[in-house]
Amino acid sequence: MTAARTGDDIPDDFEEGVEIAALETQFDIVRYMRRKCEEYGLRYFLAFTLPGFEAEKLSAYSIVSNWPQEVLARYDALRMIRYSAGIRKLRVTTVPFSYDLQEWLGESNDAPESGDLRALMDTHGMRVGHFFPVHDALGNRGAILWSGENAALPRDDRLMLQMISVHLFNRLAEIGAAWKSGQVTLTEREVQCLSWTAAGKTSLEIAEILGLSEHTVNHYLNQVTRKLEAVNRTQAVVKAIRRGLIA
């Protein structure tokens, strides 16, 4: 975990906004957000549009995320979005707030079998969630959730993350990652596999680079091909580049 930053270390708001404005693709934003996690002593991020009351799965509203796939899959399988204190609060406030995710899951008495999800999140170090409500120029509401084991964010860090979250959500809207016709959302692993494919790597080479099995890489690439309604990986790469999903 990185040490808490001091006020003198915080980059100028204008410079941070300029850097975000220069991000051209969804993949660029993912890399930027990973870097910010490291800078602020956090581990995970999730940018999403605000789910409606009828929502069943969080993944359906996710724009970009580096959540472990097994955590998101289990979260959706239990339909935890129905019991989320964070989602409920986002519907009634525009002020940033934090939750101890472990305590919240423990209080979700109406959620069946939430204990195994709590253990899974604990294994991945998903203990505290910092929620930043955001909206784009058209009024579409959403949030950026930063999470990890860092329970207390210094005031300056919280203010900077709030500003960053606002800029990121608007940039995602500008590049059309969230609301374009024919929306497609890819997981971080899918983006990584497709990006290496675009670089000319084979499934075996990608597996060695990412520390996965060749079978797993093929699984991710097959999912991407189906999501993009492509006939093969080559066409999937072309479609992904046109949509701004990869560089």
Side-chain angles (χ1 to χ4, degrees), residues 108-216:
S108 299
N109 296 324
D110 294 332
E113 303 175 12
S114 62
D116 57 344
L117 175 60
R118 180 168 41 175
L120 189 60
M121 294 178 75
D122 185 62
T123 298
H124 287 283
M126 303 177 75
R127 296 178 179 274
V128 179
H130 305 287
F131 292 78
F132 293 88
V134 290
H135 62 82
D136 66 12
L138 298 178
N140 297 301
R141 297 179 63 194
I144 308 290
L145 167 61
W146 305 86
S147 57
E149 297 178 300
N150 192 353
L153 286 174
R155 176 180 177 276
D156 287 339
D157 284 4
R158 184 175 292 276
L159 290 174
M160 183 58 71
L161 277 176
Q162 181 178 8
M163 185 278 297
I164 287 172
S165 297
V166 170
H167 278 287
L168 285 171
F169 196 73
N170 276 275
R171 186 59 187 143
L172 283 165
E174 289 170 354
I175 67 176
W179 299 283
K180 68 170 60 177
S181 176
Q183 174 183 341
V184 173
T185 301
L186 304 182
T187 66
E188 184 180 16
R189 281 300 193 193
E190 289 170 346
V191 169
Q192 289 174 334
C193 290
L194 197 59
S195 295
W196 282 115
T197 299
K201 300 297 183 180
T202 65
S203 293
L204 180 58
E205 291 171 330
I206 297 171
E208 293 174 349
I209 292 170
L210 299 180
L212 304 171
S213 69
E214 185 177 5
H215 173 77
T216 299

Side-chain angles (χ1 to χ4, degrees), residues 41-178:
L42 300 165
R43 299 185 64 179
Y44 301 103
F45 58 83
L46 173 67
F48 58 98
T49 55
L50 185 62
F53 290 98
E54 76 290 347
E56 297 280 334
K57 296 183 178 181
L58 180 60
S59 59
Y61 298 86
S62 171
I63 308 172
V64 292
S65 169
N66 71 336
W67 275 33
Q69 187 62 35
E70 59 181 335
V71 173
L72 184 57
R74 188 58 182 157
Y75 188 99
D76 280 351
L78 293 174
R79 297 179 180 175
M80 288 300 295
I81 197 171
R82 294 182 173 182
Y83 314 103
S84 171
I87 297 298
R88 288 198 299 270
K89 191 163 184 177
L90 284 171
R91 294 188 178 119
V92 297
T93 186
T94 58
V95 178
F97 58 91
S98 299
Y99 268 119
D100 183 311
L101 299 178
Q102 299 299 313
E103 287 185 7
W104 164 67
L105 285 174
E107 294 169 357
S108 299
N109 296 324
D110 294 332
E113 303 175 12
S114 62
D116 57 344
L117 175 60
R118 180 168 41 175
L120 189 60
M121 294 178 75
D122 185 62
T123 298
H124 287 283
M126 303 177 75
R127 296 178 179 274
V128 179
H130 305 287
F131 292 78
F132 293 88
V134 290
H135 62 82
D136 66 12
L138 298 178
N140 297 301
R141 297 179 63 194
I144 308 290
L145 167 61
W146 305 86
S147 57
E149 297 178 300
N150 192 353
L153 286 174
R155 176 180 177 276
D156 287 339
D157 284 4
R158 184 175 292 276
L159 290 174
M160 183 58 71
L161 277 176
Q162 181 178 8
M163 185 278 297
I164 287 172
S165 297
V166 170
H167 278 287
L168 285 171
F169 196 73
N170 276 275
R171 186 59 187 143
L172 283 165
E174 289 170 354
I175 67 176

Side-chain angles (χ1 to χ4, degrees), residues 4 6 12 15 33 40 63 140 142 148 206:
T6 65
D12 182 82
E15 293 180 0
M33 295 180 78
Y40 290 93
I63 308 172
N140 297 301
I206 297 171

